[in-house]
Amino acid sequence: MEEGNTTNAHEDSQRVTWEGCSVLLDVNDGDRFVFARLTTAATLSVGSYQIPLGPLIGRPFGSLFQMRTGPDGPFLIEDQSKASSDSQHTNGADTKENGMDWKNNQSKDNRALNDTNTAQNLQHSDIVEMKREGVSGDQIIEALISNSSTFAEKTVFSQEKYKIKKQKKFAPKVLLRRPWARSICEAYLKKKPVKIGYLRFDTLSLMLASANVSGYSDVLVVDQTGGMVTGAVAERLGSTGNVCCTYLGLKSYPIDIVKIFNFSPDLCSRILQSPLPVLSSVRVEDTQILQNPVNSIPSEIATTNSLLNSTPSQVSMTNSPLNPTPSQISMTNSPLNPRPSQIPITCADIVKIDVSSRQSIPSPKDHLEETSDCTDMNLKCTDKAFERRKVSCNPGQNATQARVNLWKERGFTSLIIAAPNLDLDSLVEDLLPLLTYSAPFVIYHQFLQPLAVCMKKLMTSKIAIALRISEPFIREYQVLPGRTHPFMEMNGFGGYILSGIRVQEIPES
Amino acid sequence: MQLIFCALFNDQSFDKSTRVTRKILTNPKHVNYQSNSLRSPAKEKLIMFGLAGGDPRLSFKRTIAYGDLAIVYEKHEIMRPIIVTPNAELHNRFGVFMHNDWVGKPFGSRVLSVKGVQGYVYILAATPEIWTLCLQHRTQILYLADISLVIMYLEIVPGCLVLESGTGTGSLTTSIARSVAPNGHVHTFDFHEQRAQSARADFDKNGISNLVTVGVRDIQGEGFPDEFQAKVDSIFLDLPQPWCVVPSAAKMLKQDGVMCSFSPCIEQVQCTCEALASQFTEIRTFEILLRHYEILRDTGATSEMESGNSRKRKHDPSSVNDSIATTTTVFARPCRFAKGHTGYLTFARLKFKSS
């Protein structure tokens, strides 16, 4: 049954990269994540080098590449050595025999260590020379070790750490990964959390589970996480079901991240958008509204702005000078407006900036540049060729009137709200009636108060039951023989989730 | 058959066949309900609850029918699964309910007691999440936070082929089944014949038997069956000595496939990680917990202490309404009872073998 169905055939073809496919590059075992489109012209910056990504095309996901320097500059070559190809855990296995004996392995320590910067006899010029000669990274590391006067004095663990540190510098590794909801979310959280509303992947998974997203679902989404939620929902839909992104105001919220998933054109066509007034309005037969949503809902502009300005969470945050005027919204949302002089902020970004104390103002870039923003300073994907190319699938089409009518008749089967800068109360009141009875919903928020207020209202109005506010806690562990403990650094807050089930209203008495 | 969950609350307007409702038919409430209801119960309806059993036709069903598995939500977190049976009665603290009255109504409806306490319940369609909360434990089960992380990390999407051992009570299996539907499949193994039998019965009740095959096999001793070699997208292990199964798991996985092992003790995790190191990469261990919050409803009553669904009670909803209307502050705090530990989740991805 696993063979021969379309989903799996499609899936299997996705286990090997192709030209134009979206990939996640894991550099040095999770040190850095880079999203890239594989084209022959695409390059990856490591330090001062531009490494062509061409060799990665047509390779299976999971392949590991190592940087080498040749006469034509640095290039990536598939790593054949199995031994050095792994993260801390393999290194742990390398020292397994020591690990078993870890209680007695503490004879060495750092009492004789003096940080005088004289331990290394190899000069910078020597290394440069070696590189020029095309000496491999591993050999440079060997040379560094043999020229270090203190290496032998180190404990096994500390020798390991030293090697890893040098490997990252002189023999960077690039691991080819399929972009999935989890990896995309994790990468964004690391590099550009504001874009996805600080959504942690465990929170995201909790939302999908609580909202019961699966094939045949019709999921209503308010997504101000740049498409992270929408993409994760679509990933769970497979070959059936729809996701509808709804929005207030003139312009839909950006869902660029959806394009990082390698969705089939069919799946993209089931990622739809529809303005809230259209979904909420009484059933209409003509298609006029959808053809011209902007003109048909002029009153909505004012509503949106008042909502934005009156959001309690916003008041409690910074007194932002960035509150949008209607003209700003329409202007900044225009995709044909790349002039850098204008401040290109979408509605979605404004409050996120507030939340983050205005860390950075997002630049007016399209999806691919956005994704390259996810890289860090010395490692950037500079795929100019692809930026100009249109991605073949185009998610986020307007829902047809027929589809909207169907939703009205049947109701959505779940609702996910991830909209930190909208007034939750009125939003929930507007959205819940669009759900069928017994449909679950989840609301994600960075702050507890709006959810608590919302929960109290819902308890009173009795249109929802099984209401619960939860906060996930996740902790990752370093597991090594004799050295198992939680990681020193962790993400301490993943946001709050209000979940519940929409039920039949109590008739008014 | 469909799984339905019932929730207990008070609503009169539905019961056309009972004395209670006859009174209400003359009541404006009833009219009100009619006008509110855009969703006619007579219409066939896409049931989303993922438990479509791989048959799309089954999913176009939204009203309660005889033979459906319903779950009764009595009050906060108290739910009970029930098979809707002709002429059967449900007795609970909120009164006596007739199954016959529920038939033909949409899931999510409120139904009223006909005798005893004048109470109500809600009848909900089932989701794996609700099922996890109300199923009968035969073993220790996995809960929402762990389940959701496992599904996401194992990259389980429609069409996937997934192996699981052991089956246990089937809490996770139900969620995996939802995620692989409509065209994927879960093969779950338990060495306990009777437990496998009960799990099968549950999956059948839930309408997911097309998506799940329960095998009786000692996976720890024998490994997974060879027929799955290199065909499997993801594997989940919940075994006392998962490290014994790691070589077999590596054999079953497709290239780039992911596996997960759930163990309560860190020593188990230690051994598993050592076993994983040779054939797997990206080995990561997590602990995930949920903290729940309660809010202050009115003087002294929190959401946790939510009183039941009696139509006559001291804390009348309307009075709560009034007090809420006058208060602007909402108080929230973490619940006192929390799970301190469930288990460690160790994930690993099959290392790429270049041929």
Side-chain angles (χ1 to χ4, degrees), chain A residues 266-284:
Chain A
D266 165 61
L267 186 47
C268 286
S269 72
R270 286 181 285 114
I271 301 170
L272 300 163
Q273 290 189 328
S274 191
L276 182 55
V278 171
L279 292 176
S280 304
S281 64
V282 196
R283 184 179 166 134
V284 275

Side-chain angles (χ1 to χ4, degrees), chain A residues 441 455 458-459 464-469 498-501, chain B residues 73 76:
Chain A
F441 62 89
M455 177 162 161
L458 290 174
M459 285 170 98
I465 56 165
L467 294 163
R468 198 160 73 167
I469 298 177
L498 170 61
S499 59
I501 296 169
Chain B
Y73 178 109
H76 198 67

Side-chain angles (χ1 to χ4, degrees), chain A residues 326-395:
Chain A
S327 63
Q328 225 176 348
I329 293 179
S330 58
M331 177 182 79
T332 57
N333 276 310
S334 166
L336 302 167
N337 220 343
R339 271 178 292 155
S341 60
Q342 285 176 331
I343 306 171
I345 312 155
T346 61
C347 299
D349 283 318
I350 287 166
V351 168
K352 286 186 193 157
I353 293 163
D354 290 347
V355 171
S356 63
S357 309
R358 277 172 271 156
Q359 286 175 338
S360 62
I361 292 174
S363 48
K365 292 168 175 174
D366 78 332
H367 145 70
L368 284 157
E369 284 185 341
E370 291 270 29
T371 58
S372 66
D373 285 347
C374 200
T375 64
D376 79 12
M377 300 307 244
N378 49 355
L379 187 65
K380 262 168 65 182
C381 173
T382 54
D383 182 0
K384 300 283 187 240
F386 199 84
E387 279 167 26
R388 285 187 291 269
R389 205 194 289 183
K390 265 275 168 224
V391 186
S392 61
C393 82
N394 198 3

Side-chain angles (χ1 to χ4, degrees), chain B residues 182-343:
Chain B
N183 48 2
H185 205 85
V186 193
H187 291 271
T188 178
F189 298 91
D190 204 302
F191 57 33
H192 196 287
E193 173 72 57
Q194 220 179 352
R195 223 150 44 205
Q197 211 43 270
S198 317
R200 272 187 215 117
D202 273 355
F203 299 147
D204 199 44
K205 253 197 273 184
N206 281 299
I208 55 169
S209 45
N210 303 359
L211 296 165
V212 184
T213 306
V214 186
V216 180
R217 187 179 169 101
D218 175 17
I219 294 298
Q220 210 165 280
E222 304 170 64
F224 289 103
D226 283 338
E227 59 183 291
F228 299 114
Q229 198 167 331
K231 285 183 180 166
V232 175
D233 294 282
S234 8
I235 296 177
F236 180 83
L237 303 175
D238 181 0
L239 296 168
Q241 294 166 297
W243 53 91
C244 301
V245 192
V246 166
S248 170
K251 230 165 82 180
M252 301 301 139
L253 283 174
K254 280 183 193 169
Q255 172 233 320
D256 214 36
V258 195
M259 66 159 282
C260 173
S261 169
F262 174 90
S263 303
C265 303
I266 199 74
E267 288 80 5
Q268 293 169 300
V269 173
Q270 190 86 61
C271 294
T272 310
C273 285
E274 281 171 27
L276 285 167
S278 62
Q279 286 167 290
F280 288 83
T281 176
E282 238 184 281
I283 304 161
R284 297 175 73 185
T285 301
F286 296 96
E287 167 185 42
I288 181 165
L289 295 167
L290 277 190
R291 171 179 252 189
H292 299 299
Y293 287 78
E294 59 190 15
I295 62 167
L296 194 65
R297 270 194 92 189
D298 46 27
T299 37
T302 66
S303 56
E304 282 292 283
M305 305 176 217
E306 184 184 351
S307 51
N309 309 308
S310 171
R311 277 172 273 167
K312 291 177 185 167
R313 57 177 178 180
K314 285 177 208 151
H315 292 287
D316 187 63
S318 57
S319 69
V320 173
N321 229 336
D322 295 341
S323 70
I324 282 171
T326 52
T327 345
T328 48
T329 321
V330 180
F331 299 93
R333 69 163 181 223
C335 299
R336 285 182 203 287
F337 292 98
K339 268 209 161 51
H341 183 61
T342 56

Side-chain angles (χ1 to χ4, degrees), chain A residues 338-480:
Chain A
R339 271 178 292 155
S341 60
Q342 285 176 331
I343 306 171
I345 312 155
T346 61
C347 299
D349 283 318
I350 287 166
V351 168
K352 286 186 193 157
I353 293 163
D354 290 347
V355 171
S356 63
S357 309
R358 277 172 271 156
Q359 286 175 338
S360 62
I361 292 174
S363 48
K365 292 168 175 174
D366 78 332
H367 145 70
L368 284 157
E369 284 185 341
E370 291 270 29
T371 58
S372 66
D373 285 347
C374 200
T375 64
D376 79 12
M377 300 307 244
N378 49 355
L379 187 65
K380 262 168 65 182
C381 173
T382 54
D383 182 0
K384 300 283 187 240
F386 199 84
E387 279 167 26
R388 285 187 291 269
R389 205 194 289 183
K390 265 275 168 224
V391 186
S392 61
C393 82
N394 198 3
Q397 297 291 312
N398 264 342
T400 62
Q401 189 60 52
R403 171 61 62 190
V404 171
N405 286 342
L406 205 63
W407 282 329
K408 279 177 189 164
E409 186 192 322
R410 289 175 170 173
F412 288 94
T413 60
S414 30
L415 165 68
I416 300 179
I417 301 176
N421 60 344
L422 293 179
D423 179 354
L424 271 189
D425 287 338
S426 66
L427 194 63
V428 172
E429 273 165 26
D430 288 344
L431 291 175
L432 276 188
L434 303 176
L435 297 183
T436 182
Y437 292 150
S438 200
F441 62 89
V442 283
I443 305 165
Y444 165 76
H445 210 281
Q446 284 282 301
F447 294 89
L448 182 57
Q449 194 66 18
L451 290 184
V453 171
C454 183
M455 177 162 161
K456 195 164 186 173
K457 272 203 171 173
L458 290 174
M459 285 170 98
T460 312
S461 69
K462 298 243 175 211
I463 62 165
I465 56 165
L467 294 163
R468 198 160 73 167
I469 298 177
S470 329
E471 179 201 354
F473 165 91
I474 192 167
R475 183 142 76 164
E476 188 169 359
Y477 280 74
Q478 163 183 299
V479 181
L480 289 174

